[in-house]
Amino acid sequence: MKTAIITALLTVFFSLTSAAQSDDGWFTTKIDLGTSYKSDFCTEYIKASHLYNIENHFSIGTMVGLYFSDLKLIPISSCLRIRPLGKKRFMPAIFATGGYGADVSGNKNGGGLFSTAMGIETGFLRRFNYNLTFGTEWFRKECMFSVSCGIHF
């Protein structure tokens, strides 16, 4: 449990310190809280994505996180975000991640982790955007349904 708390704190710290600007594009940090469930188990997660916005429609980056409860994982993956309509008040978005999930429960090995999600983003404050997504996750040939909400800054 102590390792999980330290990992979560480091993830949040890394997320808060990575917002930066560049000449050609800009960086966005996205933190999601959510749950993934299947018929026989449910697990909660926190994910931090660090995206480089190539333009208003397309972003790529990396994601780290922590799954806890029934499935204990530390996922590390690449991620993609597509906003077909660009920057609007309410923006539909498509998210995809693919990488490796290291199982820290001690009784199983890790494996490939892939997820897709669709959702909507909106911004009530000038600097922050919020999102609500629904999607699927595949881990070791098991498919789970996921729901998450998050904040972008």
Side-chain angles (χ1 to χ4, degrees):
M1 186 65 183
K2 184 178 178 183
T3 305
I5 291 171
I6 291 171
T7 304
L9 290 174
L10 287 174
T11 301
V12 170
F13 176 75
F14 180 66
S15 301
L16 294 176
T17 59
S18 69
Q21 301 290 326
S22 74
D23 293 336
D24 299 328
W26 63 97
F27 290 94
T28 301
T29 299
K30 176 175 164 287
I31 298 177
D32 286 322
L33 297 171
T35 183
S36 293
Y37 59 92
K38 195 178 159 182
S39 60
D40 56 344
F41 71 91
C42 177
T43 187
E44 291 78 27
Y45 60 81
I46 180 171
K47 295 179 184 176
S49 302
H50 313 288
L51 301 166
Y52 179 73
N53 299 297
I54 296 171
E55 58 181 50
N56 285 331
H57 301 283
F58 187 73
S59 305
I60 57 173
T62 60
M63 186 272 300
V64 295
L66 178 65
Y67 285 67
F68 41 93
S69 191
D70 292 345
L71 183 65
K72 293 173 178 55
L73 289 177
I74 297 177
I76 301 170
S77 62
S78 58
C79 57
L80 168 73
R81 176 180 71 180
I82 299 171
R83 293 190 295 202
L85 300 179
K87 253 188 138 146
K88 306 277 186 199
R89 176 88 170 148
F90 292 97
M91 303 165 282
I94 301 166
F95 301 95
T97 63
Y100 184 78
D103 193 340
V104 295
S105 61
N107 56 0
K108 296 180 183 175
N109 293 328
L113 180 67
F114 180 73
S115 67
T116 58
M118 293 181 71
I120 190 138
E121 296 180 9
T122 184
F124 295 113
L125 299 174
R126 200 174 180 108
R127 181 157 161 68
F128 299 104
N129 283 340
Y130 305 95
N131 71 308
L132 177 65
T133 59
F134 302 92
T136 57
E137 295 190 347
W138 291 274
F139 178 65
R140 285 197 310 246
K141 299 181 183 179
E142 294 183 13
C143 183
M144 301 174 282
F145 180 74
S146 68
V147 176
S148 71
C149 61
I151 185 170
H152 304 232
F153 48 94

